[in-house]
Amino acid sequence: MFKNLFKAKKQIESQPDKIELSDAENLVIAETIEKLNQQIAEADSSDLAQLYDQLGENEVKRGNVDAAITAFEKSLEIKEQFGSAYNNLLNLYETKRQESAQQKDNEAIQKWVTKTDDLLAISKRVMKSSF
């Protein structure tokens, strides 16, 4: 009855389902990132949040997690809302927290837990502003 109760925990993978891109796909994404950075430099404030979302999504595709986090955080600084930046940050923060736990780095674990808490505080502000 209880023989499966105390199974060994499965090892946490450092990057969930990372997809290998071809050289051509990497080139297209790199060009897209370059164009987005140019658009960000020239954009007015109304378009910036969306451009940072797109930049973050492309950085995720390339596996540049830290660059993606930076782009998504900038998007939320500009416009606090539910959407791509919010959802991607939740996932990326959890991935980084898991990597830190696997490395037994308590300071980094605390950093990512705090960032997740800050993100949840944003969701509360967004929900309150909707009413």
PDB file of all heavy atoms in Angstrom, residues 68-78 85 89 93 112 115:
ATOM      1  N   ALA A  68      16.587  37.538 -21.847  1.00  0.00           N
ATOM      2  CA  ALA A  68      15.121  37.488 -21.912  1.00  0.00           C
ATOM      3  C   ALA A  68      14.518  38.061 -20.639  1.00  0.00           C
ATOM      4  O   ALA A  68      13.556  38.841 -20.702  1.00  0.00           O
ATOM      5  CB  ALA A  68      14.657  36.046 -22.125  1.00  0.00           C
ATOM      6  N   ILE A  69      15.067  37.699 -19.502  1.00  0.00           N
ATOM      7  CA  ILE A  69      14.565  38.221 -18.225  1.00  0.00           C
ATOM      8  C   ILE A  69      14.674  39.740 -18.207  1.00  0.00           C
ATOM      9  O   ILE A  69      13.721  40.431 -17.825  1.00  0.00           O
ATOM     10  CB  ILE A  69      15.314  37.581 -17.036  1.00  0.00           C
ATOM     11  CG1 ILE A  69      14.881  36.116 -16.875  1.00  0.00           C
ATOM     12  CG2 ILE A  69      15.081  38.364 -15.749  1.00  0.00           C
ATOM     13  CD1 ILE A  69      15.687  35.327 -15.854  1.00  0.00           C
ATOM     14  N   THR A  70      15.797  40.266 -18.645  1.00  0.00           N
ATOM     15  CA  THR A  70      15.990  41.719 -18.674  1.00  0.00           C
ATOM     16  C   THR A  70      14.946  42.388 -19.563  1.00  0.00           C
ATOM     17  O   THR A  70      14.344  43.399 -19.180  1.00  0.00           O
ATOM     18  CB  THR A  70      17.411  42.051 -19.184  1.00  0.00           C
ATOM     19  OG1 THR A  70      18.363  41.473 -18.287  1.00  0.00           O
ATOM     20  CG2 THR A  70      17.628  43.558 -19.252  1.00  0.00           C
ATOM     21  N   ALA A  71      14.697  41.823 -20.739  1.00  0.00           N
ATOM     22  CA  ALA A  71      13.717  42.412 -21.661  1.00  0.00           C
ATOM     23  C   ALA A  71      12.313  42.364 -21.070  1.00  0.00           C
ATOM     24  O   ALA A  71      11.584  43.368 -21.110  1.00  0.00           O
ATOM     25  CB  ALA A  71      13.755  41.677 -23.003  1.00  0.00           C
ATOM     26  N   PHE A  72      11.924  41.227 -20.504  1.00  0.00           N
ATOM     27  CA  PHE A  72      10.583  41.108 -19.924  1.00  0.00           C
ATOM     28  C   PHE A  72      10.416  42.033 -18.718  1.00  0.00           C
ATOM     29  O   PHE A  72       9.356  42.625 -18.521  1.00  0.00           O
ATOM     30  CB  PHE A  72      10.279  39.662 -19.541  1.00  0.00           C
ATOM     31  CG  PHE A  72      10.087  38.743 -20.714  1.00  0.00           C
ATOM     32  CD1 PHE A  72      10.723  37.514 -20.761  1.00  0.00           C
ATOM     33  CD2 PHE A  72       9.266  39.079 -21.784  1.00  0.00           C
ATOM     34  CE1 PHE A  72      10.544  36.646 -21.827  1.00  0.00           C
ATOM     35  CE2 PHE A  72       9.077  38.227 -22.855  1.00  0.00           C
ATOM     36  CZ  PHE A  72       9.719  37.007 -22.878  1.00  0.00           C
ATOM     37  N   GLU A  73      11.461  42.179 -17.913  1.00  0.00           N
ATOM     38  CA  GLU A  73      11.380  43.089 -16.760  1.00  0.00           C
ATOM     39  C   GLU A  73      11.208  44.530 -17.219  1.00  0.00           C
ATOM     40  O   GLU A  73      10.435  45.296 -16.625  1.00  0.00           O
ATOM     41  CB  GLU A  73      12.625  42.942 -15.884  1.00  0.00           C
ATOM     42  CG  GLU A  73      12.652  41.663 -15.083  1.00  0.00           C
ATOM     43  CD  GLU A  73      13.926  41.443 -14.292  1.00  0.00           C
ATOM     44  OE1 GLU A  73      14.967  42.076 -14.600  1.00  0.00           O
ATOM     45  OE2 GLU A  73      13.898  40.622 -13.364  1.00  0.00           O
ATOM     46  N   LYS A  74      11.906  44.921 -18.285  1.00  0.00           N
ATOM     47  CA  LYS A  74      11.746  46.277 -18.822  1.00  0.00           C
ATOM     48  C   LYS A  74      10.332  46.484 -19.336  1.00  0.00           C
ATOM     49  O   LYS A  74       9.758  47.563 -19.163  1.00  0.00           O
ATOM     50  CB  LYS A  74      12.768  46.545 -19.929  1.00  0.00           C
ATOM     51  CG  LYS A  74      14.160  46.755 -19.396  1.00  0.00           C
ATOM     52  CD  LYS A  74      15.146  47.058 -20.510  1.00  0.00           C
ATOM     53  CE  LYS A  74      16.539  47.235 -19.952  1.00  0.00           C
ATOM     54  NZ  LYS A  74      17.528  47.481 -21.009  1.00  0.00           N
ATOM     55  N   SER A  75       9.766  45.457 -19.964  1.00  0.00           N
ATOM     56  CA  SER A  75       8.399  45.552 -20.450  1.00  0.00           C
ATOM     57  C   SER A  75       7.431  45.830 -19.302  1.00  0.00           C
ATOM     58  O   SER A  75       6.556  46.699 -19.404  1.00  0.00           O
ATOM     59  CB  SER A  75       8.005  44.261 -21.172  1.00  0.00           C
ATOM     60  OG  SER A  75       6.641  44.278 -21.517  1.00  0.00           O
ATOM     61  N   LEU A  76       7.595  45.104 -18.211  1.00  0.00           N
ATOM     62  CA  LEU A  76       6.699  45.299 -17.059  1.00  0.00           C
ATOM     63  C   LEU A  76       6.952  46.616 -16.337  1.00  0.00           C
ATOM     64  O   LEU A  76       6.038  47.168 -15.733  1.00  0.00           O
ATOM     65  CB  LEU A  76       6.822  44.127 -16.084  1.00  0.00           C
ATOM     66  CG  LEU A  76       6.143  42.835 -16.532  1.00  0.00           C
ATOM     67  CD1 LEU A  76       6.332  41.746 -15.489  1.00  0.00           C
ATOM     68  CD2 LEU A  76       4.665  43.045 -16.802  1.00  0.00           C
ATOM     69  N   GLU A  77       8.192  47.113 -16.382  1.00  0.00           N
ATOM     70  CA  GLU A  77       8.467  48.440 -15.806  1.00  0.00           C
ATOM     71  C   GLU A  77       7.687  49.512 -16.561  1.00  0.00           C
ATOM     72  O   GLU A  77       7.195  50.468 -15.973  1.00  0.00           O
ATOM     73  CB  GLU A  77       9.961  48.761 -15.882  1.00  0.00           C
ATOM     74  CG  GLU A  77      10.811  48.042 -14.865  1.00  0.00           C
ATOM     75  CD  GLU A  77      12.294  48.311 -15.081  1.00  0.00           C
ATOM     76  OE1 GLU A  77      12.659  49.282 -15.788  1.00  0.00           O
ATOM     77  OE2 GLU A  77      13.096  47.529 -14.552  1.00  0.00           O
ATOM     78  N   ILE A  78       7.585  49.349 -17.868  1.00  0.00           N
ATOM     79  CA  ILE A  78       6.894  50.318 -18.704  1.00  0.00           C
ATOM     80  C   ILE A  78       5.385  50.209 -18.530  1.00  0.00           C
ATOM     81  O   ILE A  78       4.694  51.210 -18.398  1.00  0.00           O
ATOM     82  CB  ILE A  78       7.288  50.134 -20.184  1.00  0.00           C
ATOM     83  CG1 ILE A  78       8.765  50.459 -20.362  1.00  0.00           C
ATOM     84  CG2 ILE A  78       6.418  50.980 -21.102  1.00  0.00           C
ATOM     85  CD1 ILE A  78       9.360  49.987 -21.664  1.00  0.00           C
ATOM     86  N   ALA A  85       5.067  39.038 -21.038  1.00  0.00           N
ATOM     87  CA  ALA A  85       6.177  39.328 -20.126  1.00  0.00           C
ATOM     88  C   ALA A  85       5.937  38.702 -18.760  1.00  0.00           C
ATOM     89  O   ALA A  85       6.826  38.045 -18.201  1.00  0.00           O
ATOM     90  CB  ALA A  85       6.367  40.839 -19.991  1.00  0.00           C
ATOM     91  N   LEU A  89       8.160  35.598 -17.399  1.00  0.00           N
ATOM     92  CA  LEU A  89       8.987  35.817 -16.214  1.00  0.00           C
ATOM     93  C   LEU A  89       8.702  34.793 -15.129  1.00  0.00           C
ATOM     94  O   LEU A  89       9.635  34.310 -14.475  1.00  0.00           O
ATOM     95  CB  LEU A  89       8.785  37.241 -15.661  1.00  0.00           C
ATOM     96  CG  LEU A  89       9.584  38.321 -16.369  1.00  0.00           C
ATOM     97  CD1 LEU A  89       9.208  39.696 -15.830  1.00  0.00           C
ATOM     98  CD2 LEU A  89      11.075  38.096 -16.235  1.00  0.00           C
ATOM     99  N   TYR A  93      11.850  32.728 -13.940  1.00  0.00           N
ATOM    100  CA  TYR A  93      12.263  32.813 -12.534  1.00  0.00           C
ATOM    101  C   TYR A  93      12.261  31.433 -11.891  1.00  0.00           C
ATOM    102  O   TYR A  93      13.161  31.093 -11.120  1.00  0.00           O
ATOM    103  CB  TYR A  93      11.346  33.740 -11.745  1.00  0.00           C
ATOM    104  CG  TYR A  93      11.484  35.221 -12.026  1.00  0.00           C
ATOM    105  CD1 TYR A  93      10.546  36.113 -11.529  1.00  0.00           C
ATOM    106  CD2 TYR A  93      12.528  35.749 -12.772  1.00  0.00           C
ATOM    107  CE1 TYR A  93      10.647  37.476 -11.746  1.00  0.00           C
ATOM    108  CE2 TYR A  93      12.636  37.096 -13.012  1.00  0.00           C
ATOM    109  CZ  TYR A  93      11.693  37.967 -12.499  1.00  0.00           C
ATOM    110  OH  TYR A  93      11.798  39.319 -12.726  1.00  0.00           O
ATOM    111  N   TRP A 112      15.760  34.620  -6.601  1.00  0.00           N
ATOM    112  CA  TRP A 112      14.694  34.273  -7.536  1.00  0.00           C
ATOM    113  C   TRP A 112      13.348  34.158  -6.836  1.00  0.00           C
ATOM    114  O   TRP A 112      12.313  34.489  -7.421  1.00  0.00           O
ATOM    115  CB  TRP A 112      15.050  33.020  -8.323  1.00  0.00           C
ATOM    116  CG  TRP A 112      16.276  33.259  -9.145  1.00  0.00           C
ATOM    117  CD1 TRP A 112      17.512  32.713  -8.980  1.00  0.00           C
ATOM    118  CD2 TRP A 112      16.421  34.201 -10.226  1.00  0.00           C
ATOM    119  NE1 TRP A 112      18.400  33.242  -9.891  1.00  0.00           N
ATOM    120  CE2 TRP A 112      17.757  34.148 -10.665  1.00  0.00           C
ATOM    121  CE3 TRP A 112      15.549  35.070 -10.866  1.00  0.00           C
ATOM    122  CZ2 TRP A 112      18.235  34.934 -11.718  1.00  0.00           C
ATOM    123  CZ3 TRP A 112      16.027  35.862 -11.909  1.00  0.00           C
ATOM    124  CH2 TRP A 112      17.342  35.794 -12.321  1.00  0.00           C
ATOM    125  N   LYS A 115      12.239  37.759  -6.510  1.00  0.00           N
ATOM    126  CA  LYS A 115      11.762  38.277  -7.791  1.00  0.00           C
ATOM    127  C   LYS A 115      10.362  37.735  -8.105  1.00  0.00           C
ATOM    128  O   LYS A 115       9.524  38.458  -8.634  1.00  0.00           O
ATOM    129  CB  LYS A 115      12.741  37.928  -8.914  1.00  0.00           C
ATOM    130  CG  LYS A 115      13.982  38.810  -8.922  1.00  0.00           C
ATOM    131  CD  LYS A 115      14.838  38.493 -10.118  1.00  0.00           C
ATOM    132  CE  LYS A 115      15.915  39.515 -10.320  1.00  0.00           C
ATOM    133  NZ  LYS A 115      15.461  40.714 -11.012  1.00  0.00           N
TER     134      LYS A 115
END
